[in-house]
Amino acid sequence: MRVSRIAIATGVAASTVLLLAGPAAAHVSVQPQGEAAKGGYATLNFKVPNERDQASTVKVEVNFPADHPLSSVTPEAVPGWKIDITKGKLDKPLEVHGKKITEAVSKVTWTADGSKIAPGYFQQFPVSVGQLPEDADQLVFKAIQTYDNKEVVRWIEEPTAGGEEPDSPAPVLKLSAASEDHHGGGAAAKPGEDDHKADDKAASAEGDKKETHAASSSSSDTTARTLGIIGILIGVAGVAFGVLAGRRRNA
């Protein structure tokens, strides 16, 4: 009887823990393909899960940070989704590769056009961005998710200083340390440098072949001359021997 009571109590406690814990809510997030280095370029995937059992996601809006505007934002085409890009004037122009940029993308909107995110599924929306800021450790992209039942979920809360995740967190992109070439890799060769090196190697190899051929030809000519001279001497010796032999016979 006592064992049964303990088992029942344990089961109730376990059930309570499960009910209190519950499944963690999924939310819109952003992850780079590879590395997102400061001062470089990257391809970002905005992952949008469907959290509703009776509705589908038909619209996603991603707002780009105004405090760190990006000079280049190029979304990848997603089948079944229409893409709208909103740009805004910059208070302070950006200088990229010697050119001044006076406007930047402030928002990208994906609207269902023959497709949708059904319950139990998610969709990724890739975007190529750059140049990432060098004076920030992270970028916050506030997102708005709309369902076909007119429900709107705003993923716009920024992370707190204590590290606790808010109820509706905004997607946050962590930036890694800047690389030497600002593209996530080692120092890149200058344009055409590899071609010049290849041409130099080819020219050097061709020169070696010519020198070898010339040396071979020179050696062959020397041998031929030597054999010719020896042949002439043998011929002269033979003639002289014949003359002497004739004189002896006459004597």
Side-chain angles (χ1 to χ4, degrees), residues 7-21:
I8 293 172
T10 303
V12 171
S15 300
T16 303
V17 170
L18 292 175
L19 289 172
L20 291 176

Side-chain angles (χ1 to χ4, degrees), residues 9-60:
T10 303
V12 171
S15 300
T16 303
V17 170
L18 292 175
L19 289 172
L20 291 176
H27 55 82
V28 178
S29 60
V30 58
Q31 290 293 333
Q33 293 182 9
E35 186 180 33
K38 297 179 181 180
Y41 293 79
T43 297
L44 310 180
N45 282 328
F46 289 94
K47 182 179 179 181
V48 182
N50 193 89
E51 296 186 302
R52 302 296 180 260
D53 296 330
Q54 305 297 329
S56 298
T57 299
V58 293
K59 187 177 180 180
V60 177

Side-chain angles (χ1 to χ4, degrees), residues 149-228:
N149 62 356
K150 308 303 181 182
E151 180 185 1
V152 177
V153 180
R154 302 178 184 275
W155 305 100
I156 60 175
E157 297 181 30
E158 299 188 20
T160 61
E164 296 181 359
E165 186 176 82
D167 294 333
S168 299
V172 177
L173 175 67
K174 301 291 185 180
L175 302 180
S176 58
S179 57
E180 293 181 1
D181 60 351
H182 285 175
H183 287 80
K190 296 179 180 179
E193 185 175 351
D194 292 338
D195 295 337
H196 292 319
K197 289 182 179 180
D199 292 341
D200 293 341
K201 289 182 179 179
S204 178
E206 186 65 24
D208 292 341
K209 289 182 180 178
K210 289 182 179 179
E211 291 179 1
T212 303
H213 180 70
S216 177
S217 298
S218 177
S219 177
S220 298
D221 293 342
T222 302
T223 302
R225 290 195 188 101
T226 303
L227 291 176

